[in-house]
Amino acid sequence: MVEMRGSELIFRFPQVHEDAVCRVSFQRTLRIPDDNRSYPLPPGLGRFPLEHVQMHSPRLPAAWSKHGGVLLPMYQSEAMWINFDSETGGRHSQGYPFAIKVAAGKINAISGEAWGDELVEHPQDYVVVPDQPWLDGFCIQKGLIRQFVAMPLGQGYSAEEQLTGEAVMGGLQIIVYPMKKDHYKKLLQKRESMKAPEIYCSMSVVQEPSMGLAPGGLMHQEIYEDRYGFDAWETGCSSRCFVHILNSEQWAAAIGKPAPGQAPTAAEYTDAGLPWFEYYNDQIAHLPGATSLAALDSVAAKGIKLGQTPLKENDPVTPGKVVGCGPKSDEVKDGTW
């Protein structure tokens, strides 16, 4: 079952376990420069708002209503990251594990393969939560992703168009699988003696195509291997959601209110002396990335090929303050005396 509460998607699996609750939200952020330099993690600037498709279906294309799901507004060339949270609070607050597949225009953001509801073990086509606290883009190689950047469909920028040659689906697709109940019970027993890490750190009708996600600038981010084993996931039990991405004009037409204001540029943020971030967990192996995703043109590179300048304010920046964040443990370690 999937619910939308405020600006979060909540995936619940009470038939598996009362703790099996996963929250997914979509964070506004800086668009990092698309200049083939790699950057640390930009900040979260608050959640994107969400709206139910069925509440606004009279003003939406019929195909969107058929897909169901939710609506999300993004400006052209705006960036986002996806936040995952499976902490339930109380005694088992470390988080119920989930396997989550994320696709853009039905192109898997981890493996680069076409969308399929089933989990794939080799190559791993999903992230594991709570080990993976967030996902900022397409996994192109070990330790590097290309940022999710919104671009209009039909202009050749989206990952979907570059890999399939068509602009059909757009948006984001998410499917969540919970850990099997017996595996979770064994995990809880293990946690009794060793605590798991905690992570810190006037209306009109819409007729234009929706937005798609294109690969943007390079960012340091590890996508972690499944350390629980493929058999740990309840593959016969899942919930999924289609996230339609609307530009600011489409959002106003469909919802009847303006989209949030645009995020600051990377240069404005950096010049203000605000922090960037590095997240690293050396206790879990990292996925190598997908060659098909690595071969995609970034937005800036595709613009050069098309003789266009799709990105404004794309000058390089030098983050002056980078804050480390990552798993923390209550374990007290010995040293050299």
Side-chain angles (χ1 to χ4, degrees), residues 60-276:
L60 298 174
W64 295 18
S65 297
K66 183 179 179 181
H67 293 152
V70 297
L71 306 172
L72 178 152
M74 293 183 75
Y75 291 91
Q76 179 172 325
S77 75
E78 186 175 13
M80 72 142 64
W81 55 270
I82 306 171
N83 187 70
F84 307 113
D85 181 7
S86 63
E87 292 188 5
T88 57
R91 180 167 174 257
H92 303 151
S93 62
Q94 291 93 341
Y96 196 103
F98 292 90
I100 302 180
K101 296 180 63 161
V102 177
K106 299 190 79 172
I107 298 298
N108 191 292
I110 306 302
S111 69
E113 298 296 327
W115 176 263
D117 284 356
E118 69 283 352
L119 286 181
V120 176
E121 182 177 12
H122 300 297
Q124 180 181 320
D125 70 345
Y126 54 93
V127 297
V128 176
V129 175
D131 292 343
Q132 193 78 44
W134 45 68
L135 181 66
D136 287 69
F138 299 96
C139 180
I140 64 165
Q141 68 182 69
K142 189 173 182 177
L144 283 178
I145 59 96
R146 280 202 177 273
Q147 192 177 33
F148 290 135
V149 174
M151 292 296 289
L153 288 181
Q155 297 185 13
Y157 288 96
S158 72
E160 173 186 3
E161 292 168 88
Q162 292 193 52
L163 288 174
T164 70
E166 297 181 309
V168 177
M169 303 304 298
L172 270 169
Q173 297 77 40
I174 295 176
I175 187 165
V176 177
Y177 291 85
M179 176 175 274
K180 292 177 180 176
K181 182 177 182 178
D182 58 343
H183 280 70
Y184 182 59
K185 287 183 176 180
K186 292 177 182 177
L187 183 60
L188 288 181
Q189 292 171 357
K190 184 177 180 181
R191 287 174 177 173
E192 291 296 327
S193 58
M194 183 179 64
K195 286 190 175 181
E198 296 182 8
I199 297 170
Y200 294 87
C201 292
S202 63
M203 298 188 188
S204 58
V205 177
V206 175
Q207 296 179 337
E208 302 172 38
S210 63
M211 302 274 276
L213 290 178
L218 286 170
M219 188 189 305
H220 304 297
Q221 186 169 87
E222 287 77 25
I223 307 300
Y224 298 109
E225 286 187 3
D226 180 357
R227 63 189 174 102
Y228 299 108
F230 192 73
D231 187 55
W233 309 112
E234 190 65 76
T235 55
C237 180
S238 64
S239 290
R240 65 181 194 167
C241 184
F242 196 112
V243 182
H244 303 265
I245 301 176
L246 285 67
N247 65 33
S248 57
E249 293 182 359
Q250 292 172 328
W251 179 263
I255 310 304
K257 54 187 177 184
Q262 298 192 53
T265 67
E268 290 170 340
Y269 181 88
T270 304
D271 290 345
L274 298 171
W276 296 64

